Amino acid sequence: MTEARTSADGGMETSYGFRRVADGEKQGLVNDVFHKVAKRYDVMNDVMSAGMHRVWKDAMVAALNPHKGAGYKTLDVAGGTGDIAFRIVEASGRKAHTTVLDINGSMLAVGAERAAKRKLSENLDFVEANAETLPFEANSFDAYTIAFGIRNVPRIDVALKEAYRVLKRGGRLLVLEFSEVEMPLLERFYDEWSFKAIPRFGKMITGDAEPYQYLVESIRKFPNQENFAAMIRNAGFSRVTYTNYTGGIAALHSGWKL
């Protein structure tokens, strides 16, 4: 059911799921996917991960261990609905300031509404921009986070170099992404769930299976743990490590700007 993953040398920029697209075409197609699912994004993540995304996100923020003093600034990319940003602010005792950046205005609108309901708006900025061309000065942030979004960026290498640029010296990159399952029995079950159940549930929830089909395929095209770690190193990061969650269904990658 799966096709070969891309390597550290690239390939995601012309991969829309299993379909090869022209250079420059992917971003518009991905934008359409997230316009369609913005209002049901949390439900989508529950379907994609059987609810485990909440546990993984909690673990990501625990690994970050946000500073509880004033002046701590983080950038959460492709985080329009605020899931990671809210966790960071709360974990810092509402001291951190997080900029939520997303290329999709529909996702950001959902996040801003949710932030207001949680009375977190003063701790957050919502910025519509591209991860490949961040509208910030160099050395601006203490941490850069991105959860389940890097595989939707066409030029991942460019986005990682931008992450390195905007981080301060001593700043940390954390990337949470679906990855390569390391146990054969779990992999077979996961393939059945992914390719047969998830698009069907997606159609039931949103009336459209196609966005879910793309998301499932994009997971299988994304570089495996070692290859993605190599991409992070190539962008200039040091002390690059990763931790597998749930048998490698997801992995948390970490790197430092030293």
Side-chain angles (χ1 to χ4, degrees):
M1 287 192 184
T2 62
E3 291 197 1
R5 291 180 180 272
T6 55
S7 71
D9 296 326
M12 290 295 284
E13 62 273 13
T14 56
S15 170
Y16 179 72
F18 291 162
R19 176 157 63 97
R20 186 175 178 83
V21 296
D23 193 30
E25 186 180 358
K26 178 178 178 175
Q27 189 64 71
L29 293 170
V30 171
N31 288 352
D32 287 343
V33 166
F34 285 94
H35 281 305
K36 290 176 182 177
V37 303
K39 292 291 186 182
R40 298 291 187 93
Y41 184 69
D42 286 340
V43 178
M44 180 197 76
N45 278 338
D46 282 330
V47 170
M48 295 284 291
S49 70
M52 288 300 296
H53 75 101
R54 301 173 189 273
V55 177
W56 300 332
K57 288 172 180 175
D58 287 343
M60 179 187 196
V61 175
L64 178 63
N65 190 21
H67 186 59
K68 293 180 172 61
Y72 184 74
K73 295 174 60 179
T74 74
L75 174 64
D76 185 47
V77 175
T81 61
D83 251 15
I84 296 298
F86 300 159
R87 283 171 166 83
I88 290 173
V89 171
E90 295 289 11
S92 74
R94 298 200 173 199
K95 298 291 186 182
H97 189 280
T98 296
T99 297
V100 182
L101 182 140
D102 204 298
I103 200 170
N104 192 292
S106 298
M107 299 285 282
L108 289 167
V110 172
E113 182 179 347
R114 293 177 67 198
K117 289 179 179 177
R118 288 166 170 75
K119 301 188 183 333
L120 293 174
S121 299
E122 290 186 3
N123 296 84
L124 299 164
D125 291 325
F126 289 86
V127 176
E128 186 172 349
N130 193 321
E132 297 176 7
T133 52
L134 297 175
F136 309 113
E137 294 183 1
N139 309 306
S140 295
F141 297 96
D142 297 289
Y144 175 116
T145 57
I146 180 167
F148 305 117
I150 195 74
R151 75 182 190 281
N152 298 310
V153 176
R155 297 184 298 167
I156 293 171
D157 57 334
V158 174
L160 290 172
K161 288 174 183 175
E162 276 289 271
Y164 187 87
R165 181 183 68 81
V166 301
L167 279 170
K168 299 175 183 177
R169 287 286 168 188
R172 191 179 187 187
L173 168 78
L174 281 176
V175 182
L176 178 62
E177 188 53 85
F178 290 109
S179 200
E180 185 172 67
V181 178
E182 58 186 357
M183 295 181 288
L185 286 176
L186 178 59
E187 183 178 22
R188 285 198 291 272
F189 169 79
Y190 186 49
D191 275 350
E192 289 292 312
W193 169 257
S194 297
F195 289 99
K196 294 183 178 178
I198 288 177
R200 189 176 305 148
F201 279 123
K203 187 170 185 178
M204 289 169 57
I205 294 165
T206 66
D208 188 355
E210 193 274 334
Y212 291 81
Q213 187 69 36
Y214 157 70
L215 291 166
V216 167
E217 292 177 2
S218 68
I219 291 169
R220 300 317 195 279
K221 294 296 289 185
F222 187 71
N224 67 16
Q225 290 91 326
E226 290 292 341
N227 279 323
F228 185 56
M231 294 183 76
I232 295 173
R233 292 188 193 96
N234 290 342
F237 288 95
S238 303
R239 293 167 54 190
V240 176
T241 60
Y242 64 84
T243 302
N244 282 333
Y245 295 152
T246 318
I249 290 177
L252 179 66
H253 282 77
S254 172
W256 297 82
K257 181 176 178 178
L258 301 178

Short mmCIF file of all heavy atoms in Angstrom, two decimals, residues 214-256:
data_model
loop_
_atom_site.label_atom_id
_atom_site.label_comp_id
_atom_site.label_asym_id
_atom_site.label_seq_id
_atom_site.Cartn_x
_atom_site.Cartn_y
_atom_site.Cartn_z
N TYR A 214 -4.86 12.29 1.12
CA TYR A 214 -3.59 12.99 0.96
C TYR A 214 -2.75 12.90 2.23
O TYR A 214 -1.55 12.60 2.19
CB TYR A 214 -3.79 14.47 0.61
CG TYR A 214 -2.59 15.30 0.98
CD1 TYR A 214 -1.40 15.18 0.27
CD2 TYR A 214 -2.60 16.13 2.12
CE1 TYR A 214 -0.26 15.88 0.66
CE2 TYR A 214 -1.48 16.82 2.51
CZ TYR A 214 -0.31 16.70 1.77
OH TYR A 214 0.82 17.38 2.17
N LEU A 215 -3.38 13.17 3.39
CA LEU A 215 -2.64 13.20 4.64
C LEU A 215 -2.02 11.84 4.96
O LEU A 215 -0.88 11.75 5.41
CB LEU A 215 -3.55 13.67 5.78
CG LEU A 215 -3.95 15.15 5.67
CD1 LEU A 215 -5.11 15.47 6.60
CD2 LEU A 215 -2.76 16.06 5.98
N VAL A 216 -2.76 10.77 4.71
CA VAL A 216 -2.24 9.43 4.93
C VAL A 216 -1.05 9.16 4.01
O VAL A 216 -0.01 8.64 4.44
CB VAL A 216 -3.35 8.38 4.70
CG1 VAL A 216 -2.76 6.99 4.60
CG2 VAL A 216 -4.38 8.45 5.82
N GLU A 217 -1.19 9.51 2.74
CA GLU A 217 -0.11 9.27 1.78
C GLU A 217 1.12 10.12 2.10
O GLU A 217 2.26 9.65 1.96
CB GLU A 217 -0.61 9.54 0.37
CG GLU A 217 -1.66 8.54 -0.11
CD GLU A 217 -2.21 8.86 -1.49
OE1 GLU A 217 -1.74 9.87 -2.08
OE2 GLU A 217 -3.10 8.13 -1.97
N SER A 218 0.89 11.35 2.55
CA SER A 218 2.02 12.23 2.84
C SER A 218 2.86 11.69 3.99
O SER A 218 4.09 11.88 4.02
CB SER A 218 1.53 13.64 3.17
OG SER A 218 0.82 13.68 4.40
N ILE A 219 2.23 11.00 4.94
CA ILE A 219 2.97 10.38 6.04
C ILE A 219 3.94 9.33 5.49
O ILE A 219 5.09 9.23 5.93
CB ILE A 219 1.99 9.73 7.04
CG1 ILE A 219 1.20 10.82 7.78
CG2 ILE A 219 2.73 8.83 8.03
CD1 ILE A 219 0.03 10.28 8.58
N ARG A 220 3.48 8.55 4.52
CA ARG A 220 4.31 7.48 3.97
C ARG A 220 5.43 7.99 3.07
O ARG A 220 6.40 7.28 2.83
CB ARG A 220 3.45 6.47 3.21
CG ARG A 220 2.37 5.79 4.02
CD ARG A 220 2.86 5.35 5.41
NE ARG A 220 1.96 4.40 6.04
CZ ARG A 220 0.84 4.75 6.68
NH1 ARG A 220 0.48 6.02 6.75
NH2 ARG A 220 0.08 3.83 7.25
N LYS A 221 5.29 9.20 2.55
CA LYS A 221 6.34 9.77 1.71
C LYS A 221 7.40 10.53 2.52
O LYS A 221 8.52 10.73 2.04
CB LYS A 221 5.72 10.74 0.68
CG LYS A 221 4.81 10.07 -0.34
CD LYS A 221 5.56 9.08 -1.23
CE LYS A 221 6.50 9.76 -2.19
NZ LYS A 221 7.13 8.79 -3.13
N PHE A 222 7.06 10.92 3.74
CA PHE A 222 7.98 11.72 4.55
C PHE A 222 9.24 10.92 4.90
O PHE A 222 9.16 9.72 5.17
CB PHE A 222 7.26 12.17 5.82
CG PHE A 222 8.03 13.15 6.65
CD1 PHE A 222 8.22 14.45 6.21
CD2 PHE A 222 8.58 12.77 7.87
CE1 PHE A 222 8.94 15.36 6.98
CE2 PHE A 222 9.30 13.66 8.65
CZ PHE A 222 9.47 14.96 8.20
N PRO A 223 10.41 11.56 4.93
CA PRO A 223 11.64 10.84 5.26
C PRO A 223 11.54 10.13 6.62
O PRO A 223 10.90 10.63 7.54
CB PRO A 223 12.70 11.95 5.30
CG PRO A 223 12.15 13.04 4.44
CD PRO A 223 10.66 12.98 4.60
N ASN A 224 12.20 8.98 6.72
CA ASN A 224 12.18 8.27 8.00
C ASN A 224 13.02 9.02 9.04
O ASN A 224 13.62 10.07 8.75
CB ASN A 224 12.63 6.82 7.84
CG ASN A 224 14.09 6.69 7.45
OD1 ASN A 224 14.88 7.62 7.58
ND2 ASN A 224 14.47 5.52 6.96
N GLN A 225 13.08 8.48 10.23
CA GLN A 225 13.70 9.17 11.35
C GLN A 225 15.15 9.56 11.07
O GLN A 225 15.56 10.70 11.32
CB GLN A 225 13.62 8.29 12.61
CG GLN A 225 12.22 8.15 13.19
CD GLN A 225 11.45 6.97 12.64
OE1 GLN A 225 11.61 6.60 11.46
NE2 GLN A 225 10.60 6.36 13.45
N GLU A 226 15.94 8.62 10.58
CA GLU A 226 17.36 8.91 10.34
C GLU A 226 17.55 9.94 9.24
O GLU A 226 18.40 10.83 9.34
CB GLU A 226 18.11 7.62 10.01
CG GLU A 226 18.26 6.66 11.18
CD GLU A 226 19.20 7.21 12.27
OE1 GLU A 226 19.98 8.13 11.97
OE2 GLU A 226 19.12 6.72 13.40
N ASN A 227 16.78 9.81 8.17
CA ASN A 227 16.92 10.76 7.06
C ASN A 227 16.47 12.16 7.46
O ASN A 227 17.09 13.16 7.06
CB ASN A 227 16.13 10.27 5.85
CG ASN A 227 16.88 9.22 5.05
OD1 ASN A 227 18.09 9.28 4.91
ND2 ASN A 227 16.16 8.24 4.54
N PHE A 228 15.40 12.25 8.25
CA PHE A 228 14.97 13.58 8.66
C PHE A 228 15.97 14.19 9.65
O PHE A 228 16.24 15.40 9.59
CB PHE A 228 13.56 13.54 9.26
CG PHE A 228 13.02 14.91 9.58
CD1 PHE A 228 12.95 15.88 8.60
CD2 PHE A 228 12.61 15.22 10.87
CE1 PHE A 228 12.48 17.16 8.89
CE2 PHE A 228 12.13 16.49 11.17
CZ PHE A 228 12.06 17.46 10.18
N ALA A 229 16.53 13.38 10.52
CA ALA A 229 17.58 13.87 11.42
C ALA A 229 18.75 14.42 10.62
O ALA A 229 19.35 15.45 10.98
CB ALA A 229 18.04 12.76 12.36
N ALA A 230 19.08 13.76 9.52
CA ALA A 230 20.17 14.24 8.66
C ALA A 230 19.82 15.60 8.05
O ALA A 230 20.69 16.48 7.93
CB ALA A 230 20.46 13.22 7.56
N MET A 231 18.56 15.78 7.68
CA MET A 231 18.14 17.08 7.13
C MET A 231 18.28 18.19 8.17
O MET A 231 18.68 19.32 7.84
CB MET A 231 16.69 16.99 6.65
CG MET A 231 16.47 16.06 5.47
SD MET A 231 14.75 16.05 4.89
CE MET A 231 14.70 17.63 4.01
N ILE A 232 17.96 17.87 9.42
CA ILE A 232 18.09 18.87 10.49
C ILE A 232 19.56 19.23 10.69
O ILE A 232 19.91 20.41 10.83
CB ILE A 232 17.45 18.33 11.79
CG1 ILE A 232 15.94 18.16 11.59
CG2 ILE A 232 17.73 19.27 12.95
CD1 ILE A 232 15.23 17.48 12.75
N ARG A 233 20.43 18.24 10.67
CA ARG A 233 21.87 18.52 10.78
C ARG A 233 22.36 19.36 9.60
O ARG A 233 23.16 20.29 9.79
CB ARG A 233 22.66 17.21 10.84
CG ARG A 233 22.44 16.40 12.11
CD ARG A 233 23.40 15.23 12.18
NE ARG A 233 22.99 14.30 13.23
CZ ARG A 233 22.25 13.22 13.02
NH1 ARG A 233 21.87 12.89 11.78
NH2 ARG A 233 21.90 12.45 14.03
N ASN A 234 21.88 19.04 8.41
CA ASN A 234 22.30 19.79 7.22
C ASN A 234 21.89 21.25 7.29
O ASN A 234 22.51 22.10 6.64
CB ASN A 234 21.70 19.15 5.97
CG ASN A 234 22.31 17.80 5.65
OD1 ASN A 234 23.39 17.46 6.14
ND2 ASN A 234 21.63 17.01 4.83
N ALA A 235 20.85 21.56 8.06
CA ALA A 235 20.40 22.94 8.21
C ALA A 235 21.24 23.71 9.22
O ALA A 235 21.06 24.92 9.39
CB ALA A 235 18.93 22.97 8.64
N GLY A 236 22.17 23.02 9.89
CA GLY A 236 23.08 23.68 10.80
C GLY A 236 22.91 23.34 12.27
O GLY A 236 23.70 23.80 13.11
N PHE A 237 21.91 22.55 12.60
CA PHE A 237 21.62 22.26 14.00
C PHE A 237 22.61 21.25 14.58
O PHE A 237 23.13 20.39 13.88
CB PHE A 237 20.19 21.73 14.15
CG PHE A 237 19.14 22.79 13.96
CD1 PHE A 237 18.54 22.98 12.72
CD2 PHE A 237 18.77 23.62 15.01
CE1 PHE A 237 17.58 23.95 12.54
CE2 PHE A 237 17.82 24.61 14.83
CZ PHE A 237 17.22 24.78 13.60
N SER A 238 22.83 21.37 15.88
CA SER A 238 23.72 20.48 16.63
C SER A 238 22.92 19.63 17.61
O SER A 238 21.75 19.89 17.87
CB SER A 238 24.75 21.32 17.41
OG SER A 238 25.49 22.16 16.55
N ARG A 239 23.58 18.60 18.14
CA ARG A 239 22.97 17.71 19.14
C ARG A 239 21.59 17.24 18.68
O ARG A 239 20.61 17.31 19.42
CB ARG A 239 22.90 18.41 20.50
CG ARG A 239 24.26 18.67 21.13
CD ARG A 239 24.21 19.63 22.30
NE ARG A 239 23.25 19.21 23.31
CZ ARG A 239 22.88 19.97 24.35
NH1 ARG A 239 23.39 21.19 24.47
NH2 ARG A 239 22.01 19.53 25.24
N VAL A 240 21.52 16.77 17.46
CA VAL A 240 20.25 16.34 16.87
C VAL A 240 19.91 14.94 17.37
O VAL A 240 20.73 14.01 17.27
CB VAL A 240 20.32 16.36 15.33
CG1 VAL A 240 19.04 15.81 14.72
CG2 VAL A 240 20.60 17.78 14.85
N THR A 241 18.72 14.79 17.90
CA THR A 241 18.25 13.50 18.40
C THR A 241 16.78 13.32 18.02
O THR A 241 16.12 14.27 17.58
CB THR A 241 18.36 13.41 19.94
OG1 THR A 241 17.56 14.44 20.53
CG2 THR A 241 19.80 13.56 20.39
N TYR A 242 16.30 12.09 18.18
CA TYR A 242 14.86 11.88 18.02
C TYR A 242 14.39 10.80 18.99
O TYR A 242 15.16 9.95 19.43
CB TYR A 242 14.48 11.51 16.58
CG TYR A 242 15.03 10.20 16.07
CD1 TYR A 242 14.39 8.98 16.33
CD2 TYR A 242 16.19 10.17 15.30
CE1 TYR A 242 14.91 7.78 15.85
CE2 TYR A 242 16.70 8.99 14.81
CZ TYR A 242 16.06 7.80 15.10
OH TYR A 242 16.56 6.62 14.62
N THR A 243 13.11 10.90 19.34
CA THR A 243 12.47 9.94 20.24
C THR A 243 11.23 9.41 19.56
O THR A 243 10.37 10.19 19.12
CB THR A 243 12.07 10.62 21.56
OG1 THR A 243 13.22 11.18 22.18
CG2 THR A 243 11.40 9.61 22.50
N ASN A 244 11.14 8.09 19.43
CA ASN A 244 9.95 7.49 18.83
C ASN A 244 8.81 7.41 19.84
O ASN A 244 9.03 7.10 21.01
CB ASN A 244 10.26 6.08 18.32
CG ASN A 244 11.01 6.09 17.01
OD1 ASN A 244 10.89 7.03 16.23
ND2 ASN A 244 11.79 5.05 16.75
N TYR A 245 7.61 7.67 19.35
CA TYR A 245 6.40 7.50 20.15
C TYR A 245 5.54 6.41 19.53
O TYR A 245 5.37 6.37 18.30
CB TYR A 245 5.60 8.81 20.21
CG TYR A 245 6.28 9.96 20.92
CD1 TYR A 245 5.98 11.28 20.57
CD2 TYR A 245 7.21 9.75 21.95
CE1 TYR A 245 6.58 12.34 21.22
CE2 TYR A 245 7.82 10.81 22.59
CZ TYR A 245 7.49 12.10 22.23
OH TYR A 245 8.10 13.17 22.87
N THR A 246 4.99 5.56 20.36
CA THR A 246 4.06 4.51 19.93
C THR A 246 4.65 3.71 18.76
O THR A 246 4.07 3.60 17.68
CB THR A 246 2.68 5.11 19.54
OG1 THR A 246 2.31 6.10 20.50
CG2 THR A 246 1.61 4.02 19.53
N GLY A 247 5.83 3.17 19.01
CA GLY A 247 6.45 2.30 18.02
C GLY A 247 6.91 2.98 16.75
O GLY A 247 7.13 2.32 15.74
N GLY A 248 7.09 4.30 16.79
CA GLY A 248 7.54 5.02 15.60
C GLY A 248 6.42 5.59 14.76
O GLY A 248 6.67 6.18 13.70
N ILE A 249 5.16 5.43 15.18
CA ILE A 249 4.06 6.07 14.45
C ILE A 249 4.32 7.57 14.39
O ILE A 249 4.09 8.22 13.37
CB ILE A 249 2.70 5.75 15.10
CG1 ILE A 249 2.34 4.28 14.89
CG2 ILE A 249 1.60 6.65 14.51
CD1 ILE A 249 1.05 3.86 15.57
N ALA A 250 4.82 8.11 15.48
CA ALA A 250 5.25 9.51 15.50
C ALA A 250 6.65 9.56 16.09
O ALA A 250 7.09 8.64 16.79
CB ALA A 250 4.30 10.36 16.32
N ALA A 251 7.37 10.65 15.80
CA ALA A 251 8.70 10.84 16.36
C ALA A 251 8.90 12.32 16.67
O ALA A 251 8.43 13.19 15.93
CB ALA A 251 9.78 10.36 15.40
N LEU A 252 9.57 12.58 17.79
CA LEU A 252 9.92 13.95 18.17
C LEU A 252 11.39 14.15 17.88
O LEU A 252 12.25 13.48 18.45
CB LEU A 252 9.64 14.18 19.65
CG LEU A 252 10.01 15.57 20.17
CD1 LEU A 252 9.13 16.64 19.52
CD2 LEU A 252 9.89 15.63 21.70
N HIS A 253 11.69 15.08 16.97
CA HIS A 253 13.06 15.42 16.62
C HIS A 253 13.48 16.71 17.35
O HIS A 253 12.68 17.65 17.46
CB HIS A 253 13.21 15.64 15.11
CG HIS A 253 13.26 14.36 14.33
ND1 HIS A 253 12.15 13.61 14.07
CD2 HIS A 253 14.30 13.70 13.77
CE1 HIS A 253 12.50 12.54 13.36
NE2 HIS A 253 13.81 12.59 13.17
N SER A 254 14.70 16.73 17.80
CA SER A 254 15.23 17.87 18.54
C SER A 254 16.58 18.29 17.97
O SER A 254 17.39 17.44 17.58
CB SER A 254 15.39 17.49 20.03
OG SER A 254 16.08 18.51 20.75
N GLY A 255 16.81 19.60 17.92
CA GLY A 255 18.10 20.13 17.50
C GLY A 255 18.33 21.46 18.18
O GLY A 255 17.38 22.16 18.58
N TRP A 256 19.59 21.85 18.30
CA TRP A 256 19.96 23.07 18.99
C TRP A 256 20.79 23.98 18.08
O TRP A 256 21.60 23.51 17.28
CB TRP A 256 20.78 22.77 20.25
CG TRP A 256 20.03 21.98 21.27
CD1 TRP A 256 19.85 20.62 21.29
CD2 TRP A 256 19.36 22.49 22.43
NE1 TRP A 256 19.10 20.25 22.39
CE2 TRP A 256 18.79 21.37 23.11
CE3 TRP A 256 19.20 23.77 22.96
CZ2 TRP A 256 18.09 21.53 24.30
CZ3 TRP A 256 18.48 23.91 24.14
CH2 TRP A 256 17.93 22.80 24.79
#
